[in-house]
Amino acid sequence: MGNINGAGRSAWNRNLIQDGSVNIKFNSFESGGTETFNVIYDDFSKNTSNTSWYSFAVTHIAAHNILGGGVYYVEGFKTNERYEWQKATSYESTSIRQFARSKVNGAWNEWVRII
């Protein structure tokens, strides 16, 4: 594809967004706990087109049973209704923490800490 810069990059990004290849959303949600948190993640995923990358932010006002509390930046990629991944990133006092999960054959796996 070559090097895309300047006006060409902007046009390329607009085309990706318009054709549905990229789903740029930076919505922010507040979660009241594990069950609410999982609904937010699952619903955001359900409302995303196939073959789309997406991102959003969520604030845990009550701790999630695996991820804990805090503010998370979330990104994911949905291949289709059966296959997908999500990664959640937050901070600690001296570093970051990241968790990931995948959907295989339509079922989400548990969150796993990766950093």
Side-chain angles (χ1 to χ4, degrees):
M1 172 176 260
N3 196 4
I4 300 172
N5 54 37
R9 178 179 294 149
S10 295
W12 184 72
N13 287 338
R14 274 194 308 278
N15 288 338
L16 284 175
I17 293 165
Q18 290 169 354
D19 79 5
S21 299
V22 176
N23 194 5
I24 296 179
K25 295 182 180 180
F26 199 75
N27 297 319
S28 183
F29 304 97
E30 284 192 355
S31 168
T34 301
E35 209 163 294
T36 304
F37 174 83
N38 290 334
V39 168
I40 289 170
Y41 276 72
D42 293 349
D43 282 353
F44 199 92
S45 167
K46 288 175 190 172
N47 295 321
T48 300
S49 303
N50 289 342
T51 63
S52 291
W53 171 84
Y54 56 88
S55 63
F56 60 94
V58 63
T59 301
H60 296 266
I61 53 177
H64 183 276
N65 65 337
I66 296 173
L67 300 141
V71 178
Y72 284 83
Y73 165 75
V74 182
E75 64 180 322
F77 184 81
K78 180 177 183 177
T79 303
N80 55 41
E81 294 297 322
R82 297 173 50 84
Y83 297 96
E84 184 172 356
W85 61 263
Q86 291 179 332
K87 182 171 63 172
T89 304
S90 191
Y91 53 87
E92 292 183 314
S93 58
T94 58
S95 65
I96 65 168
R97 59 183 187 244
Q98 286 187 328
F99 298 85
R101 70 177 184 162
S102 61
K103 184 194 288 184
V104 178
N105 291 323
W108 283 106
N109 292 307
E110 290 293 322
W111 288 99
V112 175
R113 186 166 182 165
I114 56 177
I115 294 179

